[in-house]
């Protein structure tokens, strides 16, 4: 029924997945070499589960069964296994059947019977749901459109796996068996279910890393100093509430306790009788594989690899890193690193500092992720300087520095922080984005409930960090920044801007608009703030300048008046040290505290409006404003914090413990627990959620902390980012919709694409694209309602005359040579040719002046109504994902770069904004008395192109140029399409962990 070459082992079906409890498993096709694994797996399945699978007692598999379940053609009979540590924990298979339920004989049969078997010890972990996603994707690839399954009524767990998947299904009951039939075409509900499960699983996997009950530091040095011993000291001095073990194979055999730390010391993990949740690895790279094996065999949940010598060290190190990742995932463990700086969790119930940071940051509500240890140090140091101590303005909830990010990445932390009630603001420093589509999706979803601030390093070609396997950037950094902003991400350029924006967003409400009041006791500083507001596109009011000797009471009255004004959305307060005999306080250290109290009192009466402070030479003011307003160890009284209109209130946390001092070798530390690990109440796994649309509301922040900046430009820039983000939040509440067009032939287009790929790419490597012949491109675009204007080749004058007669005069004569395409300024395009004589004369002029017909490749096309020439493009960019681009043809887009970009799939609202966002947009809307053109028709073409690329990941490039938009309607005069076989890893398929 199929040709032998198609029976080859499908490597692209292999995938690592995160399960419901946060562990990982590997899904792969079953092969004949798995016979012994299958028998061993079956022996560990209970008799009840065997009965549910075969509808009868079936204690063991016969040799015939083993052969049948391990030999597949990977087309009509497919089996997948979920494995941990190389052993099966679950299997799924399908067999193609005909309409009568018998084995299929016809390749056109598109139905298959599917069955699962999950080892009892692994039931409830979401293994069957993950297998169903992958076997359904395999079946669709092999032309199967429906699954049928027969299940005993008592097997409620398996019935739930099928019915909860979100596919359109039909359920019948006959002869004591429940028969389920369901279509495999993804639906909006099935995608929401899959992504909801993905979010819960990946968030849980991060939660297990951040809140371990026990930690083993492997590679702890015998003498003070060194990476391992430093990590151990950081862990102990943070006040970690769980158990700690020091591990080093070189410890003396009789050593039981490491001093002066006083922690249990062992030579190997096997000597630890209790579970170990997190292993911190600080051994040479060549010893890491043995350590990972010991961790896997001991049941460690996650590993933090501080060791270097991996991808950052060259090709050999990159292969070593890939082997490390494969080994860790084979045991179901998540991996942070290698070459990582560490992770921190400030929750009172955890107090984890598994990093090389010498002191524990203050507890707060900023989530921090970096790919660079150096940037991580800079961010922690910068935040500490702006607001040290628990409850301060710069406190963090969690910190992860992932180094080479072979496994855990910023996407995983976005999944976790999305629902984490202790994180109000997410700060990311990224040097590479491994899965751009997924990042854009997760960032957009997270930004809808809490701010996401990103600084992107390695923004230009050739600057990618050596430790990261990243794709080549094809679009300018300005384009990537614009696409991030479309997703709601606050994009900044520097570490300083990361901290500035994060502090304001973590401490202040979002402004309702751009109207800014400015007040202070320095006219010059106020004018600098005024100019900065105009530069950032805000609407500042005339500054109110107080006397240089203004007292704190004067500031309080002025701020209260500004905040109460209806025409004010936010206030910038400028302050310099005051002088004068009437000052309410004496100069020196107390004036800042007095002013801070006054500003807090005024701001507390209007908690719905943000306030920021610019100061010169008043560090005590900044420090007082950054600290918590409540006395140490006390909670805010009930009702003290006024309700804000949008976010939900956060329950008041119990009083945090006193700050833990830095980590000198003789500093005091809490005693090391020796009993069972405590029950962790902080940051438990996020609650179950069935649909991605069910988003939480943003939690409320603690009151009376006001960010202060030493420069007006920094304060205003941060405020402007908050204004733009707030506007995005309001618009995101109604993002528009992706229209459904009745004339789109999605299935037929898919069949055309598959035929074209088979014909055009027999020897083309995976990932390389090929151009589609013009006639085939026109036919493919027509499937999506995009009709190109006919064009006929004209290799000689006589053929040109016949083409013009067929099309009808007037016509255009155009050259299609690459160096002359779309270049009327060079004479390669001649318009409004009215008759045969003129056409022959023009043909001769063009070929005499520009070159031979063979070189120019001239074509003839009929004239269309005059309008504005535009260009519509869509492309898959490895750094940005699927991008829809629009601009005016010619100089505006080519010379000035006046092009607007949107992520695909684009909604009707996003496309309307895209058209208006280019600088040359007035030409479309009647500039200087010209006739407005049909922008509704233009928006429809953009939306149809977006749908084509979103529906078919094989379409990696579409170029429509020119698209002449007239007063009524438009004409597509030129079109090119590029196709490529999609990579195995895509955000559009079943969930899987990336491999870098």
């Amino acid at each position: 029924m199929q040709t032998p070459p198609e029976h080859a082992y499908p490597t692209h079906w292999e995938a690592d997945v995160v399960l419901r409890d946060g562990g990982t498993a590997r899904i792969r096709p079953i092969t004949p070499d798995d016979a012994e694994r299958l028998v061993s797996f079956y022996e560990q399945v209970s008799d009840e589960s065997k009965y549910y699978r075969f509808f009868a007692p079936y204690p063991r598999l016969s040799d015939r069964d083993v052969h049948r379940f391990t030999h597949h053609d990977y087309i009509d009979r497919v089996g997948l296994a979920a494995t941990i540590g190389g052993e099966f924990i679950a299997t799924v298979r399908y067999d193609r059947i005909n309409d009568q339920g018998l084995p299929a004989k016809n390749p056109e049969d598109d139905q298959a019977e599917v069955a699962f078997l999950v080892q009892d010890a692994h039931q409830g972990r979401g293994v069957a749901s993950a297998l169903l996603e992958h076997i359904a994707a395999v079946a669709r690839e092999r032309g199967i459109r429906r699954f049928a399954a027969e299940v005993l009524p008592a097997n409620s767990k398996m019935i739930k796996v099928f019915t909860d998947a979100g596919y359109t299904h039909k359920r019948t009951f006959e002869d004591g068996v429940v028969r389920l039939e369901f279509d495999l075409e993804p639906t909006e509900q099935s995608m929401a279910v899959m992504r909801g499960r993905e979010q819960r699983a990946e968030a849980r996997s991060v939660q297990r890393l951040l809140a371990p009950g026990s930690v083993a530091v492997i590679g702890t040095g015998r003498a003070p100093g060194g990476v391992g011993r430093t990590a151990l000291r950081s862990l102990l001095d943070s006040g970690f509430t769980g158990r700690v073990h020091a591990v080093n194979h070189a410890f003396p055999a009789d050593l039981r306790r490491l001093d002066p730390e006083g922690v249990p010391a062992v030579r190997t993990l096997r000597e630890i009788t209790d579970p170990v949740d997190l292993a911190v690895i600080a051994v040479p790279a060549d010893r890491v594989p043995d350590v990972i094996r010991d961790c896997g065999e001991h049941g460690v949940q996650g590993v933090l690899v501080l060791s270097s010598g991996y991808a950052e060290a060259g090709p050999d190190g990159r292969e070593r890193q890939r082997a490390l990742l494969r080994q860790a995932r084979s045991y179901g463990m998540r991996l942070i690193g290698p070459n990582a700086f560490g992770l921190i969790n400030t929750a009172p119930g955890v107090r984890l500092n598994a990093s090389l940071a010498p002191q524990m940051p203050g507890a707060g509500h900023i989530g921090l992720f970096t790919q660079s240890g150096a940037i991580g140090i800079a961010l922690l140091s910068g935040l500490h300087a702006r607001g040290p101590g628990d409850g301060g303005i710069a406190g963090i909830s969690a910190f992860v520095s992932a180094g080479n990010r072979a496994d855990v990445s910023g996407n995983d932390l976005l999944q976790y922080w999305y629902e984490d009630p202790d994180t109000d603001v997410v700060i990311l420093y990224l040097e590479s984005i491994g899965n751009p589509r997924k990042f854009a999706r997760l960032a957009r979803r997270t930004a809808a409930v809490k701010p996401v601030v990103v600084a992107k390093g390695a923004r230009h070609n050739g600057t990618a960090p050596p430790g990261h396997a990243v794709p080549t950037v094809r679009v300018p950094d300005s384009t990537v920044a614009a696409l991030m902003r479309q997703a709601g991400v606050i994009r900044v350029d520097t570490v300083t801007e990361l901290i500035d924006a994060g502090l304001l967003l973590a401490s202040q409400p979002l402004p309702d608009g751009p109207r800014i009041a400015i007040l202070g006791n320095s006219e010059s500083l106020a004018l600098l703030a005024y100019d900065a507001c105009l530069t950032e596109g805000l609407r500042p009011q005339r500054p109110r300048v107080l006397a240089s000797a203004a007292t704190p009471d004067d500031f309080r009255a002025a701020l209260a008046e500004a905040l109460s004004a209806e025409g004010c959305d936010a206030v910038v307060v400028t302050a310099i040290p005051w002088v004068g005999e009437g000052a309410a306080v004496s100069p020196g250290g107390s004036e800042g505290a007095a002013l801070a109290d006054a500003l807090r009192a005024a701001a507390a009466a209007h908690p719905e409006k943000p306030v920021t402070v610019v100061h010169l030479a008043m560090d005590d003011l900044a420090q007082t404003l950054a600290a918590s307003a409540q006395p140490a160890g006390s909670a805010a009284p009930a009702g003290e914090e006024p309700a804000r209109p949008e976010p939900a209130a956060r329950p008041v946390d119990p009083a945090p413990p006193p700050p833990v001092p830095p980590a000198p070798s003789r500093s005091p530390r809490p005693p090391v627990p020796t009993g069972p690990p405590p029950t962790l109440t902080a940051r438990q796994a996020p609650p179950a959620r069935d649909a991605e649309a069910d988003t939480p509301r943003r939690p409320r922040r603690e009151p009376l902390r006001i960010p202060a900046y030493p420069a007006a430009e920094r304060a205003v820039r941060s405020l402007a980012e908050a204004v733009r983000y707030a506007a995005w939040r309001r618009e995101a509440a109604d993002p528009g919709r992706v229209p459904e067009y009745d004339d789109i032939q999605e299935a037929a287009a898919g069949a055309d694409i598959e035929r074209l790929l088979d014909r055009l790419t027999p020897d083309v490597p995976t990932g390389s694209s090929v151009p589609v012949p013009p006639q085939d491109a026109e036919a493919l675009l027509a499937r999506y309602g995009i009709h190109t204007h006919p064009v006929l080749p004209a290799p000689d004058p006589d053929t040109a005359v016949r083409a013009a007669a067929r099309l009808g005069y007037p016509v255009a004569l155009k050259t299609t040579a690459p160096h002359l395409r779309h270049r009327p300024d060079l004479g390669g395009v001649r318009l409004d040719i009215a008759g045969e004589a003129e056409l022959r004369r023009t043909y001769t002029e063009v070929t005499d002046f520009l070159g031979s017909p063979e070189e120019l490749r001239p074509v003839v096309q009929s004239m269309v109504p005059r309008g504005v020439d535009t260009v519509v493009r869509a492309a898959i960019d490895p750094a940005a994902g699927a991008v829809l681009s629009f601009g005016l043809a010619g100089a505006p887009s080519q010379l000035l770069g006046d092009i607007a970009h949107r992520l695909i799939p684009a909604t009707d609202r996003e496309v309307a904004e895209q058209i208006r966002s280019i600088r040359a947009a007035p030409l479309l809307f009647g500039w200087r008395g010209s006739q407005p053109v049909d922008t509704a028709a233009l928006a429809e073409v953009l939306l149809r192109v977006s749908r084509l690329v979103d529906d078919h990941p094989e379409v990696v490039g579409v170029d429509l140029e020119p698209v002449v938009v007239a007063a009524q309607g438009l004409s597509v005069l030129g079109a090119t399409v590029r196709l490529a076989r999609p990579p195995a890893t895509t955000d559009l398929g079943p969930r899987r962990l990336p491999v870098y």
Side-chain angles (χ1 to χ4, degrees), residues 8-15 26-34 37 69-70 72 74 77-83 88 92 131 135 138:
Y9 178 83
T11 306
H12 65 285
W13 292 351
E14 297 178 349
R26 184 162 185 79
I27 294 176
R28 65 170 178 81
I30 298 174
T31 71
D33 295 336
D34 290 321
R37 292 187 184 88
F69 293 149
T70 57
H72 307 94
Y74 302 124
R77 291 180 296 105
V78 172
L80 301 180
T83 69
F88 286 9
V92 62
L131 281 172
I135 197 72
V138 168

CSV table of all heavy atoms in Angstrom, one decimal, residues 8-15 26-34 37 69-70 72 74 77-83 88 92 131 135 138:
chain,number,residue,atom,x,y,z
A,8,ALA,N,11.0,4.1,6.8
A,8,ALA,CA,12.1,4.5,7.6
A,8,ALA,C,11.7,5.0,8.9
A,8,ALA,O,10.6,5.6,9.1
A,8,ALA,CB,13.0,5.5,6.8
A,9,TYR,N,12.6,4.8,9.9
A,9,TYR,CA,12.3,5.3,11.3
A,9,TYR,C,12.1,6.8,11.3
A,9,TYR,O,13.0,7.5,10.8
A,9,TYR,CB,13.4,4.9,12.2
A,9,TYR,CG,13.2,5.3,13.6
A,9,TYR,CD1,12.5,4.6,14.5
A,9,TYR,CD2,13.8,6.5,14.1
A,9,TYR,CE1,12.3,5.0,15.8
A,9,TYR,CE2,13.7,6.9,15.4
A,9,TYR,CZ,12.9,6.2,16.3
A,9,TYR,OH,12.7,6.6,17.6
A,10,PRO,N,11.0,7.3,11.7
A,10,PRO,CA,10.7,8.7,11.7
A,10,PRO,C,11.3,9.4,12.9
A,10,PRO,O,10.7,9.6,14.0
A,10,PRO,CB,9.1,8.8,11.7
A,10,PRO,CG,8.8,7.5,12.5
A,10,PRO,CD,9.8,6.5,12.2
A,11,THR,N,12.5,9.9,12.8
A,11,THR,CA,13.2,10.6,13.9
A,11,THR,C,12.5,11.8,14.4
A,11,THR,O,12.5,12.1,15.6
A,11,THR,CB,14.6,10.9,13.4
A,11,THR,OG1,15.3,9.8,12.9
A,11,THR,CG2,15.4,11.5,14.6
A,12,HIS,N,11.8,12.5,13.5
A,12,HIS,CA,11.1,13.7,13.9
A,12,HIS,C,9.9,13.5,14.8
A,12,HIS,O,9.4,14.5,15.3
A,12,HIS,CB,10.7,14.6,12.6
A,12,HIS,CG,9.7,13.9,11.8
A,12,HIS,ND1,10.0,12.8,11.0
A,12,HIS,CD2,8.4,14.2,11.6
A,12,HIS,CE1,8.9,12.5,10.3
A,12,HIS,NE2,7.9,13.3,10.7
A,13,TRP,N,9.5,12.3,15.0
A,13,TRP,CA,8.5,12.0,16.0
A,13,TRP,C,9.0,12.0,17.4
A,13,TRP,O,8.2,11.9,18.3
A,13,TRP,CB,7.8,10.7,15.6
A,13,TRP,CG,7.0,10.7,14.3
A,13,TRP,CD1,6.7,11.8,13.6
A,13,TRP,CD2,6.4,9.6,13.7
A,13,TRP,NE1,6.0,11.4,12.5
A,13,TRP,CE2,5.8,10.1,12.5
A,13,TRP,CE3,6.3,8.2,14.0
A,13,TRP,CZ2,5.1,9.3,11.6
A,13,TRP,CZ3,5.6,7.4,13.1
A,13,TRP,CH2,5.0,7.9,11.9
A,14,GLU,N,10.3,11.9,17.6
A,14,GLU,CA,10.8,11.9,18.9
A,14,GLU,C,10.6,13.2,19.6
A,14,GLU,O,10.8,14.3,19.0
A,14,GLU,CB,12.3,11.5,18.9
A,14,GLU,CG,12.6,10.1,18.4
A,14,GLU,CD,14.1,9.8,18.3
A,14,GLU,OE1,14.9,10.8,18.5
A,14,GLU,OE2,14.5,8.7,18.1
A,15,ALA,N,10.3,13.2,20.9
A,15,ALA,CA,10.0,14.5,21.6
A,15,ALA,C,10.1,14.3,23.1
A,15,ALA,O,9.8,13.2,23.6
A,15,ALA,CB,8.6,15.0,21.3
A,26,ARG,N,10.2,11.0,27.6
A,26,ARG,CA,10.5,11.0,26.2
A,26,ARG,C,9.5,10.2,25.5
A,26,ARG,O,9.2,9.1,25.9
A,26,ARG,CB,12.0,10.5,26.0
A,26,ARG,CG,12.4,10.6,24.5
A,26,ARG,CD,13.9,10.5,24.4
A,26,ARG,NE,14.3,10.7,23.0
A,26,ARG,CZ,14.4,11.9,22.4
A,26,ARG,NH1,14.1,13.0,23.0
A,26,ARG,NH2,14.9,12.0,21.2
A,27,ILE,N,9.0,10.8,24.4
A,27,ILE,CA,8.1,10.0,23.5
A,27,ILE,C,8.8,9.7,22.2
A,27,ILE,O,9.5,10.6,21.6
A,27,ILE,CB,6.8,10.9,23.2
A,27,ILE,CG1,6.0,11.1,24.5
A,27,ILE,CG2,6.0,10.3,22.1
A,27,ILE,CD1,4.8,12.0,24.3
A,28,ARG,N,8.7,8.5,21.8
A,28,ARG,CA,9.4,8.0,20.6
A,28,ARG,C,8.7,6.9,20.0
A,28,ARG,O,7.9,6.2,20.6
A,28,ARG,CB,10.9,7.7,20.9
A,28,ARG,CG,11.1,6.4,21.8
A,28,ARG,CD,12.5,6.0,21.8
A,28,ARG,NE,12.8,4.9,22.7
A,28,ARG,CZ,12.5,3.6,22.4
A,28,ARG,NH1,12.0,3.3,21.2
A,28,ARG,NH2,12.8,2.7,23.3
A,29,PRO,N,8.9,6.6,18.7
A,29,PRO,CA,8.4,5.5,18.0
A,29,PRO,C,8.9,4.2,18.6
A,29,PRO,O,10.1,4.1,19.0
A,29,PRO,CB,8.7,5.6,16.5
A,29,PRO,CG,9.1,7.1,16.4
A,29,PRO,CD,9.6,7.5,17.7
A,30,ILE,N,8.1,3.1,18.7
A,30,ILE,CA,8.5,1.8,19.1
A,30,ILE,C,9.2,1.1,18.0
A,30,ILE,O,8.7,1.1,16.8
A,30,ILE,CB,7.3,1.0,19.6
A,30,ILE,CG1,6.7,1.7,20.9
A,30,ILE,CG2,7.7,-0.4,20.0
A,30,ILE,CD1,5.4,1.1,21.4
A,31,THR,N,10.3,0.4,18.2
A,31,THR,CA,11.0,-0.3,17.2
A,31,THR,C,11.1,-1.8,17.6
A,31,THR,O,10.9,-2.2,18.7
A,31,THR,CB,12.4,0.3,17.1
A,31,THR,OG1,13.2,-0.1,18.3
A,31,THR,CG2,12.4,1.8,16.9
A,32,PRO,N,11.6,-2.7,16.7
A,32,PRO,CA,11.7,-4.1,17.0
A,32,PRO,C,12.7,-4.3,18.1
A,32,PRO,O,12.7,-5.3,18.8
A,32,PRO,CB,12.2,-4.7,15.7
A,32,PRO,CG,11.7,-3.8,14.6
A,32,PRO,CD,11.7,-2.4,15.2
A,33,ASP,N,13.7,-3.4,18.4
A,33,ASP,CA,14.6,-3.6,19.4
A,33,ASP,C,14.0,-3.4,20.8
A,33,ASP,O,14.7,-3.6,21.8
A,33,ASP,CB,15.8,-2.5,19.3
A,33,ASP,CG,16.6,-2.8,18.0
A,33,ASP,OD1,16.6,-4.0,17.5
A,33,ASP,OD2,17.2,-1.9,17.5
A,34,ASP,N,12.8,-3.0,20.9
A,34,ASP,CA,12.1,-2.7,22.2
A,34,ASP,C,11.4,-3.9,22.7
A,34,ASP,O,10.6,-3.8,23.7
A,34,ASP,CB,11.1,-1.6,22.0
A,34,ASP,CG,11.8,-0.2,21.8
A,34,ASP,OD1,12.8,0.0,22.4
A,34,ASP,OD2,11.3,0.6,20.9
A,37,ARG,N,12.0,-4.4,26.5
A,37,ARG,CA,11.4,-3.3,27.2
A,37,ARG,C,9.9,-3.4,27.3
A,37,ARG,O,9.3,-3.2,28.3
A,37,ARG,CB,11.8,-2.0,26.6
A,37,ARG,CG,13.2,-1.6,26.6
A,37,ARG,CD,13.4,-0.2,26.1
A,37,ARG,NE,14.8,0.2,26.0
A,37,ARG,CZ,15.6,-0.1,25.0
A,37,ARG,NH1,15.1,-0.7,23.9
A,37,ARG,NH2,16.9,0.3,25.0
A,69,PHE,N,3.3,-5.8,18.4
A,69,PHE,CA,3.4,-4.5,19.1
A,69,PHE,C,4.7,-3.8,18.9
A,69,PHE,O,4.9,-2.6,19.3
A,69,PHE,CB,3.1,-4.6,20.5
A,69,PHE,CG,1.7,-5.0,20.8
A,69,PHE,CD1,1.3,-5.8,21.9
A,69,PHE,CD2,0.6,-4.7,20.0
A,69,PHE,CE1,0.0,-6.2,22.2
A,69,PHE,CE2,-0.7,-5.1,20.2
A,69,PHE,CZ,-1.0,-5.8,21.3
A,70,THR,N,5.7,-4.4,18.3
A,70,THR,CA,7.0,-3.8,18.2
A,70,THR,C,7.4,-3.6,16.7
A,70,THR,O,8.4,-3.0,16.4
A,70,THR,CB,8.1,-4.6,18.9
A,70,THR,OG1,8.2,-5.9,18.4
A,70,THR,CG2,7.9,-4.5,20.4
A,72,HIS,N,6.2,-2.1,13.2
A,72,HIS,CA,5.3,-1.2,12.6
A,72,HIS,C,5.8,-0.7,11.2
A,72,HIS,O,7.0,-0.7,11.0
A,72,HIS,CB,5.1,0.0,13.5
A,72,HIS,CG,4.7,-0.3,14.9
A,72,HIS,ND1,5.6,-0.4,15.9
A,72,HIS,CD2,3.5,-0.6,15.4
A,72,HIS,CE1,5.0,-0.7,17.0
A,72,HIS,NE2,3.7,-0.8,16.8
A,74,TYR,N,5.0,2.4,10.3
A,74,TYR,CA,5.0,3.8,10.6
A,74,TYR,C,4.1,4.6,9.7
A,74,TYR,O,4.2,5.8,9.5
A,74,TYR,CB,6.4,4.4,10.5
A,74,TYR,CG,7.4,3.7,11.5
A,74,TYR,CD1,8.6,3.1,11.1
A,74,TYR,CD2,7.1,3.7,12.9
A,74,TYR,CE1,9.4,2.5,12.0
A,74,TYR,CE2,7.9,3.0,13.8
A,74,TYR,CZ,9.1,2.5,13.3
A,74,TYR,OH,10.0,1.9,14.2
A,77,ARG,N,0.3,1.3,10.6
A,77,ARG,CA,0.4,0.8,12.0
A,77,ARG,C,1.6,1.5,12.7
A,77,ARG,O,2.7,1.4,12.2
A,77,ARG,CB,0.7,-0.7,12.0
A,77,ARG,CG,-0.5,-1.6,11.5
A,77,ARG,CD,-0.2,-3.1,11.5
A,77,ARG,NE,0.9,-3.4,10.6
A,77,ARG,CZ,2.2,-3.7,10.9
A,77,ARG,NH1,2.5,-3.7,12.2
A,77,ARG,NH2,3.1,-3.9,10.0
A,78,VAL,N,1.2,2.3,13.7
A,78,VAL,CA,2.2,3.1,14.4
A,78,VAL,C,2.1,2.9,15.9
A,78,VAL,O,1.0,2.8,16.5
A,78,VAL,CB,2.0,4.6,14.1
A,78,VAL,CG1,2.9,5.5,15.0
A,78,VAL,CG2,2.3,4.9,12.6
A,79,GLY,N,3.2,2.7,16.6
A,79,GLY,CA,3.2,2.7,18.1
A,79,GLY,C,4.2,3.7,18.6
A,79,GLY,O,5.3,3.8,18.1
A,80,LEU,N,3.8,4.4,19.7
A,80,LEU,CA,4.7,5.3,20.4
A,80,LEU,C,4.8,4.9,21.8
A,80,LEU,O,3.8,4.3,22.4
A,80,LEU,CB,4.1,6.7,20.3
A,80,LEU,CG,3.9,7.4,19.0
A,80,LEU,CD1,3.3,8.8,19.1
A,80,LEU,CD2,5.2,7.4,18.2
A,81,ALA,N,5.9,5.1,22.4
A,81,ALA,CA,6.2,4.8,23.8
A,81,ALA,C,6.6,6.1,24.5
A,81,ALA,O,7.4,6.9,24.0
A,81,ALA,CB,7.2,3.7,24.0
A,82,ALA,N,6.2,6.2,25.8
A,82,ALA,CA,6.7,7.2,26.7
A,82,ALA,C,7.7,6.5,27.6
A,82,ALA,O,7.4,5.5,28.2
A,82,ALA,CB,5.6,7.9,27.5
A,83,THR,N,8.9,7.1,27.7
A,83,THR,CA,10.0,6.4,28.4
A,83,THR,C,10.6,7.4,29.5
A,83,THR,O,10.6,8.6,29.3
A,83,THR,CB,11.1,5.9,27.5
A,83,THR,OG1,11.8,7.1,26.9
A,83,THR,CG2,10.6,5.1,26.3
A,88,PHE,N,10.0,1.8,29.3
A,88,PHE,CA,8.6,2.2,29.0
A,88,PHE,C,7.8,2.5,30.2
A,88,PHE,O,7.9,1.8,31.2
A,88,PHE,CB,7.9,1.1,28.2
A,88,PHE,CG,8.4,0.9,26.8
A,88,PHE,CD1,9.5,1.6,26.3
A,88,PHE,CD2,7.7,0.1,25.9
A,88,PHE,CE1,9.9,1.5,25.0
A,88,PHE,CE2,8.1,-0.1,24.6
A,88,PHE,CZ,9.2,0.6,24.1
A,92,VAL,N,1.1,3.8,23.2
A,92,VAL,CA,-0.1,4.0,22.4
A,92,VAL,C,0.2,3.5,21.0
A,92,VAL,O,1.3,3.6,20.5
A,92,VAL,CB,-0.5,5.5,22.4
A,92,VAL,CG1,0.6,6.4,21.8
A,92,VAL,CG2,-1.8,5.8,21.7
A,131,LEU,N,0.6,11.6,25.1
A,131,LEU,CA,0.7,10.6,24.0
A,131,LEU,C,-0.4,10.8,23.0
A,131,LEU,O,-0.2,10.6,21.8
A,131,LEU,CB,0.6,9.2,24.6
A,131,LEU,CG,1.9,8.6,25.2
A,131,LEU,CD1,1.6,7.3,25.9
A,131,LEU,CD2,3.0,8.5,24.2
A,135,ILE,N,0.3,11.1,19.0
A,135,ILE,CA,-0.2,10.1,18.1
A,135,ILE,C,-1.2,10.7,17.1
A,135,ILE,O,-1.3,10.3,16.0
A,135,ILE,CB,-0.8,8.9,18.9
A,135,ILE,CG1,-0.9,7.7,17.9
A,135,ILE,CG2,-2.2,9.2,19.4
A,135,ILE,CD1,0.4,7.0,17.6
A,138,VAL,N,0.9,12.4,14.5
A,138,VAL,CA,1.4,11.4,13.6
A,138,VAL,C,0.4,11.0,12.6
A,138,VAL,O,0.6,10.8,11.4
A,138,VAL,CB,2.0,10.3,14.4
A,138,VAL,CG1,2.3,9.1,13.5
A,138,VAL,CG2,3.2,10.7,15.2
